[in-house]
Amino acid sequence: MQRQAAPADDAVPSRERSHWTAFAGILLLVSALFNLLNGFVAIFNPGYYSTVYSQGDRLLILNYTAWGWIWVAVGILMALAGLGVLVSFRGARRTGICLAALCLVGQMIFLPVYPFWSLIVMIVSVLVIFGLLAEPQPVRGARV
């Protein structure tokens, strides 16, 4: 009987990569897509949200066009952070946590306008934060 050789060091994922981190990176990209959609709707169809909510075309102190530009910027930053997480860029995890927390607070503000949409995005943000904060535990011999 022959002994099986131990896997090479490059076959074992690095400490920064795990299934939770990959999951969080993909969810960060999904959340970026949600925020981009939300932002572009607010920019290109400013009356869309104002007809839904009875307060006119303002959301607290901002109008919906400004709100849309903020979410487009956050969506682009989240997409870049998501790609950074997937390629194991160390600073991307911290950036992703901060952006997901910002998204969570922003969706709480947006909750009266579209409650179900906001709840879905908030759940995705919480999963992103959990996935990026979870201790990476590489699976031996698995590629992530």
Side-chain angles (χ1 to χ4, degrees):
M1 223 188 251
Q2 289 183 347
R3 288 185 155 205
Q4 227 176 356
D9 287 337
D10 61 347
V12 178
S14 69
R15 181 95 174 116
E16 286 297 313
R17 296 188 58 141
S18 70
H19 294 295
W20 272 114
T21 313
F23 176 72
I26 292 169
L27 274 185
L28 202 53
L29 290 173
V30 169
S31 185
L33 178 65
F34 286 169
N35 290 328
L36 286 170
L37 285 172
N38 193 7
F40 284 134
V41 166
I43 292 169
F44 294 121
N45 192 358
Y48 184 75
Y49 291 130
S50 63
T51 58
V52 172
Y53 194 53
S54 62
Q55 297 293 331
D57 69 346
R58 296 193 89 51
L59 183 66
L60 296 178
I61 58 171
L62 299 172
N63 63 13
Y64 286 106
T65 305
W67 184 256
W69 282 113
I70 289 170
W71 285 114
V72 166
V74 169
I76 291 170
L77 291 173
M78 285 181 100
L80 292 174
L83 291 174
V85 166
L86 290 176
V87 297
S88 296
F89 183 63
R90 186 177 302 256
R93 290 181 69 189
R94 292 184 193 115
T95 305
I97 292 167
C98 292
L99 288 171
L102 176 70
C103 180
L104 188 63
V105 171
Q107 291 301 323
M108 284 182 196
I109 294 170
F110 200 61
L111 198 60
V113 180
Y114 267 102
F116 294 118
W117 174 265
S118 293
L119 286 174
I120 290 170
V121 176
M122 287 166 63
I123 289 170
V124 170
S125 296
V126 168
L127 287 173
V128 166
I129 291 170
F130 176 77
L132 292 175
L133 285 176
E135 182 69 26
Q137 305 216 347
V139 179
R140 201 151 188 71
R143 287 241 184 219
V144 181

